[in-house]
Amino acid sequence: MRILAVLFGCLVYLLGAMSRVAVPGMVFEKIASEYALSPSQVALLPSVGVFGCLAFIGIGGVAVDRFGWMKMLLFGSLLQAFGYIPVHESSSLLLMLAGEFLNGGGRTIVYLSILKLFDVSFERRYFAALIGIFYLFSYGGTLSASAVFPSLETLCGSWQLAARAINVGTLTLAALIALVVCFGKREETSSTIREAFPWRGMAKSFAEPMARRAILVTGLNIAVYWSFLCVSAAPYARSVGSVSLVSEMNWVVMFGMVFMGSVSYWLGNRRRPFFIWGAFALALGFALLAFAPSGFGVSHAAYLLIGAGYGVTSVLLAGTKECVAPVYMASAIGFTNFFANIVQIGGNQLSGRLMADGPEGYPWIFAMYFILALISLVLALKVKKCCLGGASVH
């Protein structure tokens, strides 16, 4: 039953990642034209989706730790599907925003539930490698937004119908997860869902300096990449003559997310080099976009660097959760993403505002991302040990 739950949950998240980037990222200009919206208004869609993640992720992490991954996986899958309905069925910006909010919350709970399943079912030292399997689906979905969604849109006749097809798939998978929940309740041990949750230890655990630094570095990297991907990455790539840059960047991300956890494991579960590299590559990539002469060659190198920098985030998440006690695993990742979502919302909206100024706005957008990545790099250099109990993961 656990294997089926992992498979169905990963497929739900794949479709969620695909829809998150596809709308509005791949159809940004179409939404603006069809619904007579400004770039800033269209940018509200990913921002509100991220706000949904933000609203659910802090309590979602605690809820998964407290009530168990199985029930929360079903709840998150249903919420993800229900929230996406107004996005593809309504032309009202208000209803679309409400749907994005719930969809973001559902995606978040699915994400945390799957990671919790890995943590309670296997030894902690294997977590970084296992998360790579999950990210094969996660960033496979992200990649599909740029590589598959345009073809699906052509096949269906509109982006709305393509989004509807994605949601039908999500609802089908949610029904299959419901069957797993009905027949697999005994697989969640009583210790996972019934023992008293140690609330008093949470503040102390997250007050550790390494925990704070790991959360900040990982959160900044997540915010920078996703804000770029959801708003300006595709429009800028089109402006330099090749939207394929987004797909190439996502291929690099997916490769890193899938395999860097195993590389870290083979290196003795070392985390610090990955913290430094992730922030450095992101900073360098956005520095090229912001300050180097524009052109396809520079943009190509920058997009690949951004993908390579973000591609080690699976290792960063493993290092972050290892900075707290095992019982707070989902909470640690939840709080990391909570911080990332706050930063991303600001980045999304500022990007949308600057894009309204035309091509002159892009260097300012990339300079903003460069500054955030540089802050992450400074903090990463101070991450000397990312695990409170090193022996537990080696």
Coordinates of all heavy atoms in Angstrom, one line a residue, residues 328-375:
Y328 N 10.1 16.6 14.0 CA 9.8 17.9 13.4 C 10.2 18.0 11.9 O 10.3 19.0 11.4 CB 10.5 19.0 14.2 CG 10.2 19.1 15.6 CD1 11.2 19.0 16.6 CD2 8.9 19.2 16.1 CE1 10.9 19.1 17.9 CE2 8.6 19.3 17.4 CZ 9.6 19.2 18.4 OH 9.3 19.2 19.7
M329 N 10.4 16.8 11.3 CA 10.9 16.8 9.9 C 10.0 17.6 9.0 O 10.4 18.5 8.3 CB 10.9 15.3 9.5 CG 11.3 15.1 8.0 SD 9.8 14.9 7.1 CE 10.4 15.3 5.4
A330 N 8.7 17.2 8.9 CA 7.7 17.9 8.0 C 7.6 19.4 8.4 O 7.5 20.3 7.6 CB 6.4 17.3 8.0
S331 N 7.7 19.7 9.7 CA 7.6 21.1 10.2 C 8.8 21.9 9.7 O 8.6 23.0 9.3 CB 7.5 21.1 11.7 OG 6.5 20.4 12.2
A332 N 10.0 21.3 9.7 CA 11.2 22.0 9.2 C 11.1 22.4 7.8 O 11.3 23.5 7.4 CB 12.4 21.2 9.5
I333 N 10.7 21.4 7.0 CA 10.5 21.7 5.5 C 9.3 22.6 5.3 O 9.4 23.5 4.4 CB 10.3 20.4 4.8 CG1 11.6 19.5 4.9 CG2 10.0 20.6 3.3 CD1 11.5 18.2 4.2
G334 N 8.3 22.5 6.1 CA 7.2 23.4 6.0 C 7.6 24.9 6.3 O 7.2 25.8 5.6
F335 N 8.3 25.1 7.4 CA 8.7 26.4 7.7 C 9.7 27.0 6.7 O 9.7 28.2 6.4 CB 9.4 26.4 9.1 CG 8.4 26.1 10.2 CD1 8.9 25.5 11.4 CD2 7.1 26.5 10.1 CE1 8.0 25.3 12.4 CE2 6.2 26.2 11.2 CZ 6.7 25.6 12.3
T336 N 10.5 26.1 6.1 CA 11.5 26.6 5.0 C 10.7 27.1 3.9 O 11.0 28.2 3.3 CB 12.4 25.4 4.6 OG1 13.1 25.0 5.7 CG2 13.3 25.9 3.4
N337 N 9.7 26.4 3.4 CA 8.9 26.8 2.3 C 7.9 28.0 2.7 O 7.6 28.8 1.8 CB 8.0 25.6 1.8 CG 8.9 24.7 1.0 OD1 9.1 24.9 -0.2 ND2 9.4 23.6 1.6
F338 N 7.6 28.1 3.9 CA 6.8 29.2 4.4 C 7.6 30.5 4.1 O 7.1 31.5 3.6 CB 6.4 29.1 5.9 CG 5.6 30.2 6.4 CD1 4.3 30.3 6.3 CD2 6.3 31.2 7.1 CE1 3.5 31.3 6.9 CE2 5.6 32.3 7.7 CZ 4.2 32.3 7.5
F339 N 8.8 30.5 4.6 CA 9.7 31.7 4.3 C 9.9 31.9 2.9 O 9.8 33.0 2.4 CB 11.0 31.4 5.0 CG 12.1 32.4 4.6 CD1 12.0 33.7 5.0 CD2 13.2 32.0 3.9 CE1 13.0 34.6 4.6 CE2 14.2 32.8 3.5 CZ 14.1 34.2 3.9
A340 N 10.1 30.8 2.1 CA 10.3 31.0 0.7 C 9.1 31.6 0.0 O 9.3 32.4 -0.9 CB 10.7 29.6 0.0
N341 N 8.0 31.2 0.4 CA 6.7 31.7 -0.2 C 6.6 33.2 0.0 O 6.1 33.9 -0.9 CB 5.5 30.9 0.3 CG 5.5 29.5 -0.1 OD1 6.2 29.1 -1.1 ND2 4.8 28.7 0.6
I342 N 6.9 33.7 1.2 CA 6.8 35.1 1.5 C 7.7 35.9 0.5 O 7.3 36.9 -0.1 CB 7.2 35.4 2.9 CG1 6.2 34.8 3.9 CG2 7.3 36.9 3.2 CD1 6.5 34.9 5.4
V343 N 8.9 35.4 0.4 CA 9.9 36.1 -0.5 C 9.4 36.0 -2.0 O 9.5 37.0 -2.7 CB 11.3 35.5 -0.3 CG1 12.3 36.2 -1.3 CG2 11.8 35.6 1.1
Q344 N 8.9 34.8 -2.4 CA 8.5 34.7 -3.7 C 7.3 35.6 -4.1 O 7.3 36.1 -5.2 CB 8.1 33.2 -4.0 CG 7.8 33.0 -5.5 CD 7.2 31.6 -5.8 OE1 7.4 30.7 -5.0 NE2 6.6 31.4 -6.9
I345 N 6.4 35.7 -3.2 CA 5.3 36.6 -3.5 C 5.8 38.0 -3.8 O 5.3 38.7 -4.8 CB 4.3 36.6 -2.3 CG1 3.5 35.3 -2.2 CG2 3.3 37.8 -2.5 CD1 2.7 35.1 -1.0
G346 N 6.7 38.5 -3.0 CA 7.3 39.8 -3.3 C 8.0 39.9 -4.6 O 7.8 40.8 -5.4
G347 N 8.7 38.8 -4.9 CA 9.4 38.8 -6.2 C 8.5 38.7 -7.3 O 8.7 39.3 -8.4
N348 N 7.4 37.9 -7.2 CA 6.4 37.8 -8.3 C 5.8 39.2 -8.6 O 5.7 39.6 -9.8 CB 5.3 36.9 -7.9 CG 5.7 35.4 -7.9 OD1 6.8 35.1 -8.3 ND2 4.8 34.5 -7.4
Q349 N 5.4 39.9 -7.6 CA 4.7 41.1 -7.8 C 5.6 42.2 -8.4 O 5.2 43.0 -9.2 CB 3.9 41.6 -6.6 CG 2.8 40.7 -6.2 CD 1.9 40.3 -7.4 OE1 1.8 39.2 -7.8 NE2 1.2 41.4 -7.9
L350 N 6.8 42.3 -7.8 CA 7.8 43.3 -8.3 C 8.2 42.9 -9.7 O 8.3 43.8 -10.6 CB 9.0 43.3 -7.4 CG 10.0 44.4 -7.7 CD1 9.4 45.8 -7.8 CD2 11.1 44.4 -6.7
S351 N 8.3 41.7 -10.1 CA 8.6 41.3 -11.4 C 7.5 41.7 -12.4 O 7.7 42.2 -13.5 CB 8.8 39.7 -11.5 OG 10.0 39.3 -10.8
G352 N 6.2 41.4 -12.0 CA 5.1 41.8 -12.8 C 5.0 43.3 -13.1 O 4.8 43.7 -14.2
R353 N 5.3 44.0 -12.0 CA 5.3 45.5 -12.2 C 6.4 46.0 -13.1 O 6.2 46.8 -14.0 CB 5.5 46.1 -10.8 CG 5.7 47.6 -10.8 CD 4.5 48.4 -11.4 NE 4.7 49.8 -11.6 CZ 5.3 50.3 -12.6 NH1 5.7 49.5 -13.7 NH2 5.5 51.6 -12.7
L354 N 7.6 45.4 -13.0 CA 8.7 45.8 -13.8 C 8.6 45.3 -15.3 O 9.0 46.0 -16.2 CB 10.0 45.2 -13.3 CG 10.5 45.9 -11.9 CD1 11.7 45.1 -11.3 CD2 10.9 47.3 -12.1
M355 N 7.9 44.2 -15.5 CA 7.6 43.7 -16.8 C 6.7 44.7 -17.6 O 6.7 44.7 -18.8 CB 7.0 42.3 -16.8 CG 8.1 41.2 -16.5 SD 7.3 39.6 -16.3 CE 6.7 39.3 -18.0
A356 N 5.9 45.4 -16.8 CA 5.0 46.4 -17.5 C 5.7 47.5 -18.2 O 5.2 48.2 -19.0 CB 4.0 46.9 -16.4
D357 N 7.0 47.7 -17.8 CA 7.8 48.7 -18.4 C 8.5 48.3 -19.7 O 9.3 49.0 -20.3 CB 8.9 49.2 -17.4 CG 8.4 49.8 -16.2 OD1 7.3 50.4 -16.3 OD2 9.0 49.8 -15.1
G358 N 8.2 47.0 -20.1 CA 8.8 46.5 -21.3 C 10.2 45.9 -21.1 O 10.6 45.6 -20.0
P359 N 11.0 45.8 -22.2 CA 12.3 45.1 -22.0 C 13.2 45.8 -21.0 O 14.1 45.1 -20.5 CB 12.9 45.3 -23.5 CG 11.7 45.4 -24.3 CD 10.7 46.1 -23.5
E360 N 13.1 47.1 -20.8 CA 13.9 47.8 -19.9 C 13.8 47.3 -18.4 O 14.6 47.5 -17.6 CB 13.6 49.3 -19.9 CG 13.9 50.0 -21.2 CD 12.9 49.8 -22.3 OE1 11.8 49.2 -21.9 OE2 13.1 50.1 -23.4
G361 N 12.7 46.6 -18.2 CA 12.4 46.1 -16.8 C 13.2 44.9 -16.4 O 13.4 44.6 -15.3
Y362 N 13.6 44.1 -17.4 CA 14.2 42.8 -17.1 C 15.5 42.9 -16.4 O 15.7 42.1 -15.4 CB 14.4 42.0 -18.4 CG 13.2 41.4 -19.0 CD1 12.7 41.8 -20.2 CD2 12.5 40.4 -18.3 CE1 11.5 41.2 -20.7 CE2 11.3 39.8 -18.8 CZ 10.8 40.2 -20.0 OH 9.7 39.7 -20.5
P363 N 16.4 43.8 -16.7 CA 17.7 43.9 -15.9 C 17.4 44.1 -14.4 O 18.1 43.6 -13.6 CB 18.5 45.0 -16.6 CG 17.9 45.0 -18.0 CD 16.5 44.7 -17.9
W364 N 16.4 44.9 -14.2 CA 16.1 45.2 -12.8 C 15.5 44.0 -12.0 O 15.8 43.8 -10.9 CB 15.1 46.4 -12.7 CG 15.6 47.7 -13.2 CD1 15.5 48.3 -14.4 CD2 16.5 48.5 -12.4 NE1 16.2 49.4 -14.5 CE2 16.8 49.6 -13.3 CE3 17.1 48.5 -11.2 CZ2 17.7 50.7 -12.9 CZ3 17.9 49.5 -10.7 CH2 18.2 50.6 -11.6
I365 N 14.7 43.2 -12.8 CA 14.2 42.0 -12.2 C 15.4 41.0 -11.8 O 15.4 40.5 -10.7 CB 13.3 41.3 -13.2 CG1 12.0 42.1 -13.4 CG2 12.9 39.9 -12.6 CD1 11.1 41.6 -14.5
F366 N 16.3 40.9 -12.8 CA 17.4 40.0 -12.5 C 18.4 40.5 -11.5 O 19.0 39.7 -10.7 CB 18.1 39.7 -13.9 CG 17.2 39.2 -14.9 CD1 17.4 39.5 -16.3 CD2 16.2 38.3 -14.6 CE1 16.5 39.1 -17.3 CE2 15.3 37.8 -15.6 CZ 15.5 38.2 -16.9
A367 N 18.5 41.8 -11.4 CA 19.3 42.4 -10.3 C 18.7 42.1 -8.9 O 19.5 41.8 -8.0 CB 19.5 43.9 -10.5
M368 N 17.4 42.1 -8.9 CA 16.7 41.8 -7.6 C 17.0 40.3 -7.2 O 17.4 40.0 -6.1 CB 15.2 41.9 -7.7 CG 14.4 41.4 -6.6 SD 12.6 41.5 -6.9 CE 12.4 40.3 -8.3
Y369 N 16.9 39.4 -8.2 CA 17.2 38.0 -7.9 C 18.7 37.8 -7.5 O 19.0 37.0 -6.7 CB 16.9 37.1 -9.1 CG 15.4 37.1 -9.4 CD1 14.9 37.0 -10.7 CD2 14.4 37.0 -8.4 CE1 13.6 37.0 -11.0 CE2 13.1 36.9 -8.7 CZ 12.7 36.9 -10.0 OH 11.3 36.8 -10.3
F370 N 19.6 38.5 -8.2 CA 21.0 38.4 -7.9 C 21.3 38.8 -6.4 O 22.1 38.1 -5.7 CB 21.8 39.3 -8.8 CG 23.2 39.6 -8.4 CD1 24.2 38.5 -8.5 CD2 23.6 40.8 -7.9 CE1 25.5 38.8 -8.1 CE2 24.9 41.0 -7.5 CZ 25.8 40.0 -7.6
I371 N 20.7 39.9 -6.0 CA 20.9 40.3 -4.6 C 20.4 39.3 -3.6 O 21.1 39.0 -2.6 CB 20.2 41.7 -4.4 CG1 20.9 42.8 -5.2 CG2 20.2 42.0 -2.9 CD1 20.1 44.1 -5.2
L372 N 19.2 38.7 -3.9 CA 18.7 37.7 -3.0 C 19.6 36.4 -3.0 O 19.9 35.9 -1.9 CB 17.3 37.3 -3.4 CG 16.2 38.3 -3.2 CD1 14.9 37.8 -3.8 CD2 16.0 38.7 -1.7
A373 N 20.1 36.0 -4.1 CA 21.0 34.9 -4.2 C 22.4 35.2 -3.5 O 23.0 34.3 -2.9 CB 21.3 34.5 -5.7
L374 N 22.8 36.4 -3.6 CA 24.1 36.8 -2.9 C 23.9 36.8 -1.4 O 24.8 36.3 -0.7 CB 24.5 38.2 -3.4 CG 25.9 38.7 -3.0 CD1 26.9 37.8 -3.7 CD2 26.1 40.1 -3.5
I375 N 22.8 37.2 -0.9 CA 22.5 37.0 0.5 C 22.5 35.6 0.9 O 23.1 35.2 1.9 CB 21.2 37.7 0.9 CG1 21.2 39.2 0.7 CG2 20.8 37.4 2.3 CD1 19.8 39.9 0.8

